[in-house]
Amino acid sequence: MAKKSRTPPPPRKVQAPKQRRDEHSGLSDRHKLWALVGVAALGLVGLAVAIVLVASKGGGANDKGVGQALAKAGCTYRVYPATSQAHLGSLKAKTPKYNSFPPSNGPHYGQPAPWRDYTDPVPPIVAVHNLEHGGMLFEYGNKVPQAEKDKIDAFYNSDPRGLLVFPYPPLGKRLALVAWTADQGKLSSGRTKGYHGEGRVSICTRFDETAAKTFRDHFRAKGPERFPLSALKPGS
């Protein structure tokens, strides 16, 4: 596996933002803000992300079925070469220039967020660490109707392992499925210099269960740091 940059100081423990009530956690939905981030930071998460508009148009032969399912649902699908697996030692660190929208790979905070269905945004530098562990992000814009959010909640509850759901205001009326995958052979061989895997992003105008399940089942638990689904339970 490609080595990260120098070891950062031990990160502060990440506390969860506001959570939805779901059948797996049984937790209340009262706490409004995430203790580790101020109100201003939460409001500016999306605006702070600088996007480099470079992406490949396909994902290879193994992605053919995924691309077809997503296209049928009216979703776009792009694959981005992962740029780094470096850890950031502070949540106040300057936001990296991520090469995808929403962020799907690259430098990230040293502590991932607990796996949950949140109603407050999760900072990209935190969520990207969840992706590195093999998780999937399901993000939605600030103009998505409640009926669509309810469908996303139901999708989460059907199998919440390794799934992080949260609002990402810059998406507006759209939804995004995000994953970070890697060929373990390339990572371990060391023959592919600078290889950190691939960020995968699908942006949809509406929820489609078939598309969401196809994306999840193909790309979840396949991150650069490949955790088994049994280790990606809600709250962990």
Side-chain angles (χ1 to χ4, degrees):
M1 180 182 292
K3 293 183 177 179
K4 293 186 173 74
S5 59
R6 64 181 181 83
T7 303
R12 291 176 292 162
K13 184 178 181 180
V14 175
Q15 293 178 300
K18 182 179 176 183
Q19 306 166 33
R20 297 184 192 279
R21 180 185 296 276
D22 65 72
E23 62 190 50
H24 300 276
S25 67
L27 297 175
S28 66
D29 191 22
R30 295 181 180 179
H31 298 290
K32 194 69 179 176
L33 296 177
W34 202 351
L36 63 84
V37 185
V39 175
L42 284 172
L44 295 175
V45 162
L47 297 178
V49 180
I51 304 301
V52 179
L53 299 178
V54 178
S56 61
K57 294 184 178 180
N62 293 334
D63 289 352
K64 186 175 181 180
V66 178
Q68 289 176 341
L70 294 169
K72 187 175 181 180
C75 305
T76 62
Y77 173 53
R78 287 178 176 262
V79 181
Y80 301 80
T83 60
S84 170
Q85 291 174 249
H87 279 180
L88 303 175
S90 171
L91 284 167
K92 296 181 180 180
K94 183 177 179 181
T95 303
K97 291 185 177 180
Y98 292 112
N99 69 351
S100 69
F101 175 85
S104 61
N105 69 90
H108 48 273
Y109 183 56
Q111 179 75 27
W115 302 102
R116 292 290 187 197
D117 181 354
Y118 296 109
T119 54
D120 283 340
V122 177
I125 63 170
V126 175
V128 169
H129 197 154
N130 290 77
L131 291 174
E132 185 187 36
H133 285 190
M136 170 186 161
L137 308 183
F138 203 140
E139 306 171 49
Y140 55 90
N142 58 355
K143 296 181 180 180
V144 171
Q146 185 60 48
E148 292 292 279
K149 296 178 186 178
D150 291 342
K151 294 175 183 177
I152 296 171
D153 292 343
F155 174 75
Y156 168 84
N157 282 319
S158 70
D159 186 355
R161 297 171 300 169
L163 188 57
L164 205 64
V165 177
F166 59 92
Y168 189 65
L171 283 167
K173 296 180 180 180
R174 299 170 296 171
L175 317 172
L177 310 173
V178 186
W180 183 355
T181 66
D183 182 318
Q184 296 298 303
K186 289 183 180 180
L187 285 175
S188 60
S189 69
R191 290 177 295 180
T192 307
K193 186 177 181 180
Y195 176 77
H196 299 287
E198 301 80 30
R200 301 178 184 275
V201 178
S202 177
I203 296 180
C204 309
T205 56
R206 61 180 178 82
F207 176 82
D208 184 278
E209 185 174 12
T210 299
K213 286 184 176 180
T214 300
F215 190 96
R216 179 193 67 193
D217 296 345
H218 275 74
F219 301 135
R220 184 176 54 170
K222 294 182 180 178
E225 293 185 358
R226 191 164 297 184
F227 283 59
L229 281 177
S230 60
L232 307 181
K233 296 179 180 180
S236 63

